[in-house]
Amino acid sequence: MAQTTPQSAVQPAATASGRFGRLARTALADVTPLRTSPHFRRLWFGQSVSSVGQQMTALAISVQVYALTGSPFATGLVGLCSLVPLVVFGLYGGAIADTMDRRKLGLFGATGLAVLSAGLAAQAFLGVRQVGVLYAVVALQAVCFALNAPARASMVPRLVPAEQLPAANALSTVSMNLGLTVGPMLGGLMIGVWSYQAAYLFDAVAFSASLYAMWRLPSMRPEGDPAGSARRARASVLDGLRFLRDRPNLRMSFMADLAAMVFGMPRALFPALALVLYHGDAGTVGLLAAAPAVGALLGALFSGWVGRVHRHGLAVICAVLAWGLSIAGFGLARQLWLGLILLAMAGAADTVSMIFRNTIMQAAAPDDMRGRLQGVFVVVVAGGPRLGDFESGSVAQLTSPTFSAVSGGLACVAAMLILTARHPAFARYDSRNPTA
């Protein structure tokens, strides 16, 4: 005889399934921008692929410099070599992005990065053992990145509606951290099996995805000036800095990230810690480099809640404090698994900070200033960690890598508390009434 399932049993099962579905939609990243905007989808995919290659190259350069010199100071100097070009051309690239077609500027920067990656592959194949060559290429990479990044980022508010900006920024963080996660692990594997040239060559090929995405975008001139002639005379770096000077919430968002990256960035310490503390190899360096990105990726994937948070300033403050405490804990860890967990926690906190800082900047700035503010953002987000590389490498050279990590994390916490005490209004910033 056929048996039927009681209706009373079906209803609880359906209810549980519905609750699980609602919970998943609430917790997981909102993919609406990918579904509704083909241009944003192509830009996101191209950036995801090229980001993997970029991070493979970053790891390969770090390992190659350490292999040639055996010095954490020399490894940290890689960051300093790119800092000055990032500061100068990041600000200048942002001004250019407010005067011309941002699509063309993005194409120019991405092409330069692809050519430089091919050059790195060539020097590795030829067996050039000159640290100065690597430093020079890093500086040129910073120039191209500083031109490409402001143009690409300032396009996003034109590709998605304002209410989708937090979701779009979360997805951009997913893209970036896919590269930060997969890139170092794949780079460590390639370096161990085929040496540096394989990682460099992969990066050169991967940039084709970014070039294709940029090519398919429509023309992206600043709003209100299709020809760009009048704006070309007005848009300057100084205008952007003057605008930022009178916008305390925007300034505070940048200073919060500087506190985290300058004092709490342990990246330059990874080769020394992997070899000396954990008795590992290039694969261990890859694990340490990937751990913050794994946490950041998880934080971005489970970012469905960010759209319901309105106190964006307070969220940034809490995230930076969590980053600093996690990095200090990493410096105290003696087991590899514990160090990886703490780095992952730091990465998740950094994702939260980046999502809300990006949204504050995009919501509070007019379109004709977004390029220049994105240039400042590039200087802070990309230049800060490089200055942090120099700081942590120098402290490690004078003391030890572990002391450098612990003191850097605690200095980050202290700096964030001082900034919050001096600018208490930032903690009250409300996205329902965005004020710069």
Side-chain angles (χ1 to χ4, degrees):
M1 178 182 292
Q3 295 189 5
T4 60
T5 303
Q7 187 67 21
S8 59
V10 174
Q11 289 178 343
T15 302
S17 176
R19 288 175 178 172
F20 179 79
R22 287 193 298 272
L23 179 62
R25 288 191 296 271
T26 300
L28 295 177
D30 183 359
V31 297
T32 301
L34 294 177
R35 289 191 293 102
T36 60
S37 174
H39 292 309
F40 178 78
R41 182 167 61 245
R42 280 191 289 268
L43 189 67
W44 183 87
F45 177 76
Q47 182 60 25
S48 298
V49 175
S50 61
S51 180
V52 172
Q54 284 179 287
Q55 294 307 317
M56 290 173 62
T57 289
L59 177 72
I61 291 174
S62 177
V63 173
Q64 189 174 3
V65 169
Y66 190 76
L68 291 173
T69 65
S71 167
F73 176 80
T75 308
L77 198 59
V78 172
L80 191 62
C81 287
S82 61
L83 178 62
V84 173
L86 275 172
V87 171
V88 174
F89 286 92
L91 296 173
Y92 184 61
I96 295 175
D98 284 337
T99 67
M100 65 174 291
D101 187 342
R102 290 163 179 169
R103 168 184 171 272
K104 291 181 180 179
L105 184 59
L107 275 171
F108 178 81
T111 301
L113 287 168
V115 170
L116 289 169
S117 294
L120 284 170
Q123 66 86 29
F125 276 112
L126 294 173
V128 178
R129 296 179 58 83
Q130 297 295 324
V131 176
V133 172
L134 296 176
Y135 288 159
V137 173
V138 166
L140 291 174
Q141 283 180 324
V143 173
C144 293
F145 178 82
L147 295 175
N148 174 269
R152 186 181 66 248
S154 59
M155 295 177 190
V156 174
R158 300 271 294 275
L159 300 178
V160 300
E163 64 271 16
Q164 292 181 17
L165 280 177
N169 287 323
L171 289 169
S172 296
T173 305
V174 171
S175 170
M176 180 185 69
N177 286 293
L178 278 172
L180 289 170
T181 305
V182 177
M185 290 191 292
L186 188 58
L189 177 63
M190 282 193 172
I191 292 169
V193 177
W194 294 296
S195 193
Y196 312 110
Q197 54 262 43
Y200 296 141
L201 192 59
F202 182 96
D203 187 22
V205 174
F207 265 109
S208 61
S210 181
L211 290 170
Y212 173 77
M214 286 284 183
W215 185 262
R216 290 292 305 274
L217 288 174
S219 177
M220 199 76 66
R221 290 190 179 277
E223 289 179 348
D225 187 15
S229 57
R231 192 177 307 276
R232 193 170 283 114
R234 300 199 313 266
S236 70
V237 172
L238 291 178
D239 287 341
L241 295 177
R242 291 189 190 102
F243 177 84
L244 186 59
R245 180 188 60 194
D246 300 326
R247 304 314 191 268
N249 286 327
L250 287 175
R251 287 203 317 274
M252 183 65 176
S253 70
F254 292 140
M255 290 189 292
D257 191 58
L258 282 174
M261 295 298 103
V262 172
F263 297 115
M265 173 53 70
R267 185 173 56 189
L269 308 175
F270 291 159
L273 289 173
L275 296 177
V276 176
L277 184 62
Y278 299 122
H279 308 291
D281 52 17
T284 308
V285 181
L287 286 175
L288 292 174
V294 170
L297 180 60
L298 290 174
L301 288 175
F302 290 94
S303 62
W305 56 274
V306 299
R308 300 190 300 276
V309 175
H310 301 295
R311 299 283 294 278
H312 290 183
L314 182 60
V316 171
I317 293 169
C318 292
V320 172
L321 291 175
W323 162 275
L325 292 173
S326 298
I327 295 301
F330 163 69
L332 294 172
R334 292 297 176 269
Q335 294 79 28
L336 179 61
W337 64 268
L338 180 58
L340 294 176
I341 289 175
L342 288 164
L343 287 174
M345 291 171 60
D350 188 47
T351 285
V352 174
S353 172
M354 180 171 288
I355 290 172
F356 288 117
R357 285 185 292 105
N358 248 322
T359 304
I360 289 172
M361 181 177 60
Q362 292 169 346
D367 182 73
D368 64 350
M369 281 290 174
R370 283 180 184 144
R372 277 163 286 186
L373 291 181
Q374 287 291 347
V376 177
F377 190 77
V378 167
V379 171
V380 171
V381 172
R386 287 161 174 81
L387 189 58
D389 288 342
F390 180 70
E391 182 273 338
S392 60
S394 299
V395 174
Q397 188 75 19
L398 295 173
T399 56
S400 70
T402 54
F403 180 85
S404 179
V406 175
S407 62
L410 294 179
C412 166
V413 171
M416 190 68 251
L417 291 175
I418 292 171
L419 287 172
T420 303
R422 294 191 62 183
H423 305 279
F426 183 66
R428 298 191 295 271
Y429 176 91
D430 195 315
S431 63
R432 291 166 293 190
N433 183 30
T435 55

